Amino acid sequence: MTITSPHLGSPSAAWTDARLLYALEEVVETELNRHLKVAKDWMPHEYVPWSDARNFPGLFEDGEAWGKEQSKVTEIGRIALVVNLLTEDNLPSYHHEIAALFGRDGAWGTWVHRWTAEEGRHGIVMRDYLLASRAVDPDKLEAFRMAHMNEGFESDNRHSMLHTVAYVAFQELATRVSHRNTGHQSGDPVCDRMLARIATDENLHMVFYRNLLKAAFELAPDLTMSAVRDVVVNFRMPGHGMPGFERAAAQMAIGEVYNMRIHHDDVMQPVLRHLKVLEMDGLGPEGLQAQEELGFFMGGLDAEASKFDEKLAARKARMAARAAG
C-alpha cells in the first residue's frame, strides 16, 4: 500500500516497518517521558502476606502438603490467578517479540526495557502471593509453567510492527480488566489489592500504546485502520497456548472475570471510542473498507455478547432455584 506522507519527503512512499519506526520515534520519546512521570515504582514484597507462609514438603522436615482448604481465594479466583500468572510468566518470549520488532536503540529500546522491567514485577508479586498464601497447588502451578514455556510463544502479529502496536493497545487493557476482575472475584482483600496495583500498571501501558496508535492513524490512516481491523477480528489473548486454556477461559467467562460482554464493552469499545476509529474520515478506499468491516464485526460481537448474557442469566436463575429448593 502507498500513501502520501509529508514525513518521508516523497509524494507517494510505501510505509515499511523501518519507516514507521523512524516516523514514530519522537512520539515514543514523548510518551516514554510522560509515562516515567506518572508511573510509580512499587515494591512487590510489600503486597505479599509473608506471615501466612510455611514450608512445603521437600527439603524441610516440617513441610506441609498443599490442600484446597488452605486457600483463601474462591474457586474462580484460583483458576483465573493461574491463567493470569502463566500469561505473565511468558515475559521472556514477549520481550523477544517486541525487541525484535521495535529494536533496542533510542526511545523505542528504552521503552522495551522499561516495559519488560515493569511487567517483571507482576510475575514476581503474583507468584510470591500464591505461594505464601497457599492460594493454589504449587506443584501443579510449576508443572503448568514448565509446559507453557516449553511450548514457547509466537505472536499472531509478529509480521508487522503496526499490527503489534494495535494489538497491544487492546491486549494491555484486556490484561488490566482480567486482573481487576480476578481481584474482585477472589474473595481475598489482599489478593484484590495486589491485582489492583498490577492493573494500574497495565492501564498505563495501554495508554502508551493507545497514544502511539493515535499517532499512527495520523501518519498512515488507511494502513492503521486495516491493522486495527485485522487485530480486532482475530484477537486472541497471549495465554491461548497454555495447558487447559479453553476450559479455564470458559470458567472465567461464567465467573464474570473475562467474557464476551466484558471483551466488547470494557476492552474493544473503549479504545475504538477514544480514538474515534469508527467515525474517522479522510480515509482512502482500503481504509474505508477496513472501517466498514470493523463496524460490522463489532455489531456482530455485541449480538454474540447479548446471547451470552442471556445464557448466563438463565444459568444464574437455575442455580438460584436449586439453592432455594
Side-chain angles (χ1 to χ4, degrees):
M1 177 185 293
T2 59
I3 66 170
T4 301
S5 170
H7 297 268
L8 298 180
S10 163
S12 181
W15 282 109
T16 62
D17 273 5
R19 282 174 169 158
L20 276 167
L21 283 165
Y22 179 77
L24 290 169
E25 175 91 22
E26 191 174 328
V27 181
V28 171
E29 185 174 2
T30 299
E31 288 303 311
L32 173 64
N33 290 334
R34 181 198 55 76
H35 177 84
L36 294 175
K37 285 179 182 176
V38 298
K40 295 181 180 178
D41 279 336
W42 54 279
M43 302 297 127
H45 55 267
E46 294 179 358
Y47 287 80
V48 179
W50 298 107
S51 59
D52 291 347
R54 48 201 188 276
N55 293 332
F56 288 104
L59 297 178
F60 302 99
E61 292 182 3
D62 62 343
E64 181 183 351
W66 183 82
K68 190 179 287 189
E69 71 283 353
Q70 299 166 4
S71 178
K72 294 179 181 178
V73 302
T74 60
E75 178 69 19
I76 188 59
R78 284 195 294 276
I79 293 166
L81 281 163
V82 170
V83 169
N84 290 356
L85 176 55
L86 290 180
T87 300
E88 300 286 357
D89 274 333
N90 246 341
L91 182 60
S93 289
Y94 308 149
H95 173 84
H96 173 77
E97 293 272 337
I98 66 169
L101 282 166
F102 298 159
R104 297 170 178 266
D105 301 320
W108 280 104
T110 302
W111 167 253
V112 166
H113 294 303
R114 174 71 190 197
W115 175 87
T116 302
E118 291 185 5
E119 289 287 341
R121 284 189 184 129
H122 303 167
I124 290 169
V125 71
M126 288 180 69
R127 174 165 281 100
D128 286 348
Y129 164 80
L130 292 179
L131 296 180
S133 69
R134 292 185 168 240
V136 302
D137 184 334
D139 293 342
K140 286 186 177 178
L141 182 65
E142 177 60 10
F144 283 149
R145 187 190 72 85
M146 287 295 292
H148 187 36
M149 295 195 72
N150 277 332
E151 283 294 314
F153 173 80
E154 286 191 346
S155 168
D156 296 333
N157 303 288
R158 63 189 178 279
H159 63 286
S160 160
M161 183 278 289
L162 191 53
H163 280 70
T164 298
V165 169
Y167 175 74
V168 290
F170 293 101
Q171 184 267 321
E172 291 284 2
L173 182 53
T175 304
R176 173 197 177 273
V177 168
S178 181
H179 282 313
R180 201 69 195 91
N181 289 343
T182 298
H184 291 328
Q185 301 286 356
S186 69
D188 180 11
V190 175
C191 180
D192 194 23
R193 284 195 298 272
M194 172 194 67
L195 291 175
R197 177 60 261 187
I198 293 174
T200 299
D201 281 0
E202 302 290 8
N203 199 61
L204 290 178
H205 297 164
M206 179 276 293
V207 170
F208 178 96
Y209 287 119
R210 188 186 65 191
N211 291 350
L212 201 55
L213 189 59
K214 179 182 179 183
F217 266 116
E218 293 168 0
L219 282 171
D222 285 4
L223 201 61
T224 305
M225 185 66 73
S226 295
V228 169
R229 182 265 323 273
D230 293 345
V231 163
V232 170
V233 169
N234 300 300
F235 187 87
R236 296 195 296 175
M237 290 293 275
H240 62 80
M242 68 180 60
F245 179 77
E246 286 77 11
R247 184 167 186 269
Q251 291 169 309
M252 290 168 68
I254 293 170
E256 297 181 87
V257 172
Y258 198 96
N259 56 39
M260 211 174 295
R261 173 53 63 200
I262 293 168
H263 181 66
H264 177 276
D265 290 1
D266 300 340
V267 177
M268 292 295 161
Q269 281 285 30
V271 175
L272 295 175
R273 192 182 303 119
H274 181 87
L275 297 177
K276 298 181 172 60
V277 173
L278 295 177
E279 296 81 45
M280 198 172 290
D281 52 20
L283 299 168
E286 290 185 45
L288 284 169
Q289 182 180 342
Q291 186 183 48
E292 184 179 10
E293 291 172 356
L294 179 60
F296 276 123
F297 177 82
M298 289 301 295
L301 182 62
D302 187 33
E304 288 296 315
S306 295
K307 291 179 184 176
F308 175 82
D309 291 342
E310 291 171 7
K311 290 179 180 178
L312 188 60
R315 183 180 186 277
K316 287 180 179 177
R318 288 195 304 271
M319 292 183 71
R322 274 194 214 127

